[in-house]
Amino acid sequence: MDNFQSILRFLVNQKTTIGYSFMALLTIGGERIFSMVSFQCPCNHDQNFAYGVTFLLGPAAVLLIFGIFSSTRFWKLYTGCCLNPTKLCPRGNCFGCLRVFLSIFTGACVAPIMWLCVALLNGTFYECAVSGLDDSLVVDLFCKNKTLKCREELARVPCDRSKLSSEERMELLLMFRAQSQILGWCIIIIGAFVGLLGTCYKNCRSQVSYLQLKFWKSYIDKEKERFDALAIEYATKLAERNLESFFENKAPDPFPFPNHKAWEEISAYYTFSRSEQYYSTLQRYVEKAENRNLPPEKRPVMDVEHETEMN
């Protein structure tokens, strides 16, 4: 039993790594399915570029939209902002809002970048797209020191319909694939370097220690977990209370429930401050609700100059 709990604890602690690994496997599988099942390069100058770029960037755009659409933080910040624009910039902290949107966008870019890297390392889409370019610089690059037939047959190289010799066709394919893989590795290296710099900068500017930041993340995870469970439990109780009142034709029993203002307060954007020992908007609401009767000098005050954002 202890070994099982240790394994379970390890999986929970490494859930981010496991999630990204699973996403990478899905991306690789999806790219292979696209390449083998649905992708058929038209092999002509008029359609190759548009067709290859569509298969290269189209799924990446869909993954980006899906990443933003599935972001809880995005909807938590965006919901109701048309009727109450101050939700986007609480206490005039518009820079913090932009920082959150940048963080959301960065998180949503993980899957599209994975797709681009896998697709470029495979090279199938890139071969089709580049072979359809009519730009003289591109054509001269691939057909340098070759016959005029190379320029005429370049668009047919990704297919078996090219009139070039097998050696020439294979040489061009290897050039296409080498460029595609170089571009893919450049994206991987740049992405890893930018991610490292961003993480180092964020931790360097953090107003809390590493252990407190770790505790904060654990608290946020547990609060979300318990909130979902208790929300379902209370929703079930409220539904049963209303149904009993309806079918038994009697007045409903008293049921304590947060008001609209309370829901608005716990749904607001929150940044951690050293002047407040709160780790979420929910804790801040609960603590301040208990301290409403305290004198002003004993109430916690938000220090806008020293804030830290939780992802």
Side-chain angles (χ1 to χ4, degrees):
M1 188 64 181
D2 292 338
N3 292 334
F4 176 76
Q5 290 180 349
S6 300
I7 296 174
L8 183 62
R9 192 180 304 111
F10 172 79
L11 294 177
V12 171
N13 292 335
Q14 302 297 323
K15 62 180 180 180
T16 302
T17 304
I18 295 173
Y20 282 135
S21 301
F22 184 69
M23 185 187 302
L25 291 176
L26 287 179
T27 304
I28 295 172
E31 193 277 337
R32 296 306 300 169
I33 292 174
F34 267 86
S35 300
M36 293 185 297
V37 177
S38 62
F39 183 79
Q40 295 292 332
C41 187
C43 292
N44 63 69
H45 286 290
D46 297 330
Q47 297 181 352
N48 275 22
F49 180 74
Y51 190 82
V53 169
T54 299
F55 271 81
L56 186 63
L57 300 182
V62 173
L63 289 173
L64 177 62
I65 295 172
F66 180 76
I68 296 176
F69 185 80
S70 59
S71 173
T72 304
R73 286 196 302 155
F74 173 77
W75 294 114
K76 188 175 182 179
L77 187 64
Y78 180 78
T79 301
C81 68
C82 293
L83 299 178
N84 184 16
T86 57
K87 287 186 64 176
L88 292 177
C89 299
R91 300 180 302 277
N93 188 14
C94 294
F95 178 74
C97 175
L98 293 176
R99 192 169 52 190
V100 174
F101 273 118
L102 180 62
S103 176
I104 294 171
F105 181 78
T106 303
C109 285
V110 174
I113 290 176
M114 282 185 179
W115 168 268
L116 287 176
C117 294
V118 171
L120 288 171
L121 290 176
N122 185 31
T124 304
F125 305 145
Y126 182 86
E127 293 170 4
C128 183
V130 173
S131 64
L133 289 174
D134 291 329
D135 188 87
S136 58
L137 182 63
V138 176
V139 176
D140 291 341
L141 175 65
F142 290 109
C143 294
K144 185 178 181 180
N145 300 326
K146 291 184 173 60
T147 62
L148 183 62
K149 184 183 290 186
C150 174
R151 298 174 177 271
E152 298 173 351
E153 298 293 322
L154 187 62
R156 297 188 180 92
V157 168
C159 306
D160 294 331
R161 302 197 301 268
S162 174
K163 297 178 181 179
L164 297 173
S165 63
S166 59
E167 291 80 7
E168 288 183 303
R169 178 176 177 271
M170 183 57 63
E171 182 181 354
L172 289 171
L173 282 176
L174 290 176
M175 291 178 65
F176 290 153
R177 191 152 300 176
Q179 285 192 354
S180 179
Q181 292 178 347
I182 290 173
L183 185 59
W185 275 111
C186 286
I187 293 177
I188 293 174
I189 294 171
I190 292 173
F193 189 69
V194 171
L196 176 62
L197 286 181
T199 303
C200 291
Y201 175 79
K202 181 179 177 182
N203 288 342
C204 181
R205 298 282 297 177
S206 176
Q207 297 294 330
V208 298
S209 65
Y210 173 77
L211 292 179
Q212 189 176 9
L213 187 63
K214 188 175 181 180
F215 171 80
W216 185 10
K217 292 180 179 180
S218 299
Y219 171 80
I220 290 295
D221 291 339
K222 288 299 180 181
E223 183 185 87
K224 290 179 180 178
E225 179 184 334
R226 294 300 302 154
F227 180 87
D228 291 339
L230 287 176
I232 294 175
E233 179 182 343
Y234 273 83
T236 303
K237 291 180 179 179
L238 181 60
E240 292 176 350
R241 172 252 201 186
N242 293 338
L243 288 172
E244 288 179 0
S245 175
F246 174 76
F247 283 108
E248 296 177 7
N249 194 22
K250 66 176 184 179
D253 298 330
F255 192 90
F257 201 73
N259 56 30
H260 176 72
K261 184 179 180 181
W263 286 106
E264 286 291 327
E265 288 191 24
I266 69 169
S267 300
Y269 163 71
Y270 180 71
T271 52
F272 179 81
S273 170
R274 287 189 300 178
S275 63
E276 294 183 324
Q277 290 299 314
Y278 308 143
Y279 293 96
S280 68
T281 51
L282 178 62
Q283 186 187 8
R284 183 172 65 183
Y285 173 79
V286 172
E287 297 286 350
K288 287 191 174 182
E290 292 183 355
N291 293 331
R292 282 172 185 166
N293 296 325
L294 292 178
E297 62 273 10
K298 293 186 178 181
R299 296 178 186 175
V301 178
M302 183 66 176
D303 183 5
V304 182
E305 295 181 355
H306 300 91
E307 295 180 342
T308 303
E309 174 197 349
M310 168 57 69
N311 290 328

